[in-house]
Amino acid sequence: MPGVREAGDRLPAVKGMLQFGIGLIFPLSMGIAITRYRLFDIHIIIRRTLVCSMLTLTLGLVYVGCIVVSRTLIAPLTGGSELAIVASTLMIATLFNPLRKRIQTIIDKRFYRRKYDAAKVLAAFSATVRDDSLGADQIC
């Protein structure tokens, strides 16, 4: 029976295509739901990705620079001590938070200017109101 044999040969291909189609249903439905109902604030993900990548790059370059400088300048004087690596690591740990805040501010100013300006104006206004607060007897 040649017809039965040909159908049996096509069965794995059909099964593979069916599995592939079923495998795509869940990711596609999630993507449609996220974009249709705006369940994901993509700007937050982009902002955090930019901050983390810039911070990692900057701290990595500072660390490598400190290691290279310590190995070429300080190691001959100290006899190859590992103290320079420990000092570089402590310096990176100290720089992490201030550098993260500075990079966050730069990214906010650059990409989210409207939100940054509004937050800046609101902070200035609240500081003015806090400093110039009137008592209840002065209002009436």
Side-chain angles (χ1 to χ4, degrees):
M1 298 191 146
V4 173
R5 185 176 191 119
E6 291 174 5
D9 291 339
R10 284 186 250 147
L11 188 61
V14 172
K15 184 179 177 183
M17 289 187 333
L18 186 63
Q19 286 176 342
F20 181 73
I22 290 173
L24 282 179
I25 289 174
F26 183 72
L28 285 176
S29 63
M30 289 297 289
I32 291 169
I34 287 171
T35 55
R36 182 175 180 186
Y37 298 109
R38 297 180 187 170
L39 300 175
F40 227 18
D41 288 332
I42 195 73
H43 63 88
I44 293 173
I45 294 172
I46 292 171
R47 180 177 159 199
R48 288 185 183 168
T49 302
L50 287 172
V51 169
C52 289
S53 60
M54 292 296 293
L55 184 63
T56 302
L57 179 70
T58 305
L59 289 176
L61 289 175
V62 168
Y63 184 73
V64 168
C66 288
I67 297 298
V68 167
V69 166
S70 69
R71 290 293 179 185
T72 57
L73 299 178
I74 299 172
L77 301 174
T78 61
S81 173
E82 299 297 321
L83 185 64
I85 293 175
V86 172
S88 297
T89 304
L90 290 175
M91 185 177 73
I92 293 298
T94 306
L95 283 175
F96 179 79
N97 226 8
L99 194 59
R100 183 190 60 81
K101 288 179 183 176
R102 173 123 354 171
I103 290 173
Q104 182 77 49
T105 304
I106 290 169
I107 288 176
D108 284 347
K109 283 182 183 178
R110 184 79 173 144
F111 293 105
Y112 304 104
R113 181 168 300 278
R114 190 172 4 160
K115 288 182 181 180
Y116 179 76
D117 289 342
K120 196 173 177 181
V121 168
L122 188 59
F125 176 72
S126 65
T128 303
V129 169
R130 188 174 351 122
D131 293 339
D132 296 335
S133 63
L134 301 173
D137 57 337
Q138 294 175 339
I139 294 175
C140 298

